[in-house]
């Protein structure tokens, strides 16, 4: 599921694999205006025996969807990875926290922030239009633990465009475009999804209610893999098949 919406740009997009189209602009974001995108969700417990290898990634970001353009994507999130079964049939699940400024690779946060199924993760992602820096604040269970990560693109030309904002649940695809969505029996619910901009041009905000939901299809078919229901400042993603 992804959700495209934004502050001065497009609309919120909720989807589960692909990015959604923005709707009408609500506020024209100007140079150096601060952008903030945040949300909270409970990490799902996945069925490692049902589908493996598989994954489910949950993140917030800017500029993930743009019609006819490939813009730098600024994002921060967490992954649940179901690793391939070993020769004895045993399966391990890996949990990862990360930031990314596409087209660069992920910056994994290995020691400073960890989580397990049932934990509530809140991410606040802040940057500004035309910027080459961003800050992600990860909070666990309402303040039990937190970590702040600053990051930037390798190429200084990859600036923030501030076209869309996203709230996303998706599978991770490999270099061949293949991947399976890990099975989560309890739907993933994002709460307090909110994006805002503030600067000389004024202030504006948006939530998933202003955006477009796009549901993910199963790999290699037209069957629904996961579906999204938007409810005001929240959204719920339900697993259907890998």
């Amino acid at each position: 599921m992804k959700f495209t919406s934004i502050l001065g740009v497009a609309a919120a997009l909720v989807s589960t694999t692909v990015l959604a189209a923005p709707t009408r602009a609500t506020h024209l974001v100007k140079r150096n205006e601060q952008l903030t995108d945040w949300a909270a969700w409970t990490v799902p417990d996945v069925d490692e025996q049902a589908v493996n290898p598989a994954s489910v990634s949950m993140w917030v970001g800017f500029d993930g969807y743009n019609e006819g353009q490939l813009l730098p994507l600024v994002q921060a999130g967490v992954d649940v990875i179901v690793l391939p079964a070993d020769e004895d049939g045993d399966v391990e699940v890996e949990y990862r926290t990360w930031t990314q400024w596409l087209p660069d690779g992920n910056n994994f946060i290995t020691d400073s922030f960890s989580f397990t199924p049932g934990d509530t993760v809140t991410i606040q992602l802040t940057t500004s239009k035309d910027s080459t820096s961003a800050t992600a604040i990860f909070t666990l269970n309402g303040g039990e633990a937190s970590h702040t990560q600053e990051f930037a693109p390798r190429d200084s030309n990859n600036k923030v465009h501030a076209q869309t904002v996203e709230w996303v649940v998706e599978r991770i695809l490999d270099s061949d475009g293949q991947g399976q969505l890990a099975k989560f029996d309890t739907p993933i619910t994002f709460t307090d999804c909110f994006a805002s901009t503030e600067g000389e041009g004024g202030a504006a905000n948006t939530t998933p209610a202003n955006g477009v939901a796009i549901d993910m299809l199963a790999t290699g078919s037209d069957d629904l893999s996961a579906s999204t229901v938007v409810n005001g400042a929240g959204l719920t993603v339900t697993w259907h098949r890998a």
Side-chain angles (χ1 to χ4, degrees):
M1 137 254 138
K2 288 185 180 177
F3 199 93
T4 264
S5 177
I6 199 178
L7 17 241
V9 191
L13 160 159
V14 223
S15 124
T16 327
T17 229
V18 206
L19 301 171
T23 62
R24 64 182 181 83
T26 56
H27 163 80
L28 181 60
V29 178
K30 297 182 179 180
R31 181 179 176 83
N32 298 326
E33 283 197 14
Q34 179 173 293
L35 313 172
T36 302
D37 181 11
W38 64 86
W41 59 85
T42 298
V43 178
D45 192 1
V46 299
D47 185 345
E48 63 266 26
Q49 297 298 330
V51 186
N52 69 75
S55 62
V56 56
S57 183
M58 296 145 282
W59 54 269
V60 299
F62 295 107
D63 292 333
Y65 174 84
N66 293 280
E67 295 176 330
Q69 302 180 71
L70 184 59
L71 301 179
L73 167 57
V74 181
Q75 55 183 338
V78 299
D79 298 336
V80 179
I81 311 292
V82 181
L83 300 174
D86 63 20
E87 58 185 13
D88 296 323
D90 295 326
V91 177
E92 292 187 3
V93 179
E94 183 178 286
Y95 303 93
R96 307 187 303 195
T97 305
W98 51 269
T99 60
Q100 187 173 26
W101 198 301
L102 281 169
D104 299 343
N106 294 74
N107 304 303
F108 291 108
I109 302 165
T110 55
D111 300 323
S112 304
F113 189 86
S114 60
F115 60 91
T116 57
D119 285 337
T120 297
V121 172
T122 302
I123 299 179
Q124 177 179 321
L125 179 61
T126 303
T127 185
S128 58
K129 182 174 172 60
D130 296 327
S131 177
T132 53
S133 66
T135 300
I137 301 175
F138 299 84
T139 304
L140 185 71
N141 297 328
E144 180 180 305
S146 65
H147 175 76
T148 299
Q149 183 81 19
E150 296 182 356
F151 60 109
R154 295 194 184 110
D155 185 343
S156 60
N157 292 315
N158 288 335
K159 299 178 180 180
V160 174
H161 286 247
Q163 296 296 305
T164 58
V165 62
E166 290 83 40
W167 296 277
V168 178
V169 174
E170 66 180 355
R171 59 180 174 240
I172 299 172
L173 302 181
D174 61 22
S175 57
D176 295 322
Q178 300 298 308
Q180 297 193 99
L181 181 65
K183 183 179 181 182
F184 44 93
D185 293 326
T186 301
I188 298 172
T189 298
F190 276 45
T191 60
D192 301 323
C193 300
F194 194 79
S196 66
T197 181
E198 186 170 355
E200 293 182 2
N205 57 70
T206 191
T207 68
N210 300 320
V212 179
I214 294 184
D215 291 325
M216 181 164 59
L217 300 180
T219 303
S221 79
D222 292 330
D223 294 330
L224 195 64
S225 186
S227 60
T228 305
V229 175
V230 178
N231 181 15
L235 53 97
T236 299
V237 179
T238 301
W239 189 92
H240 291 277
R241 55 164 291 175

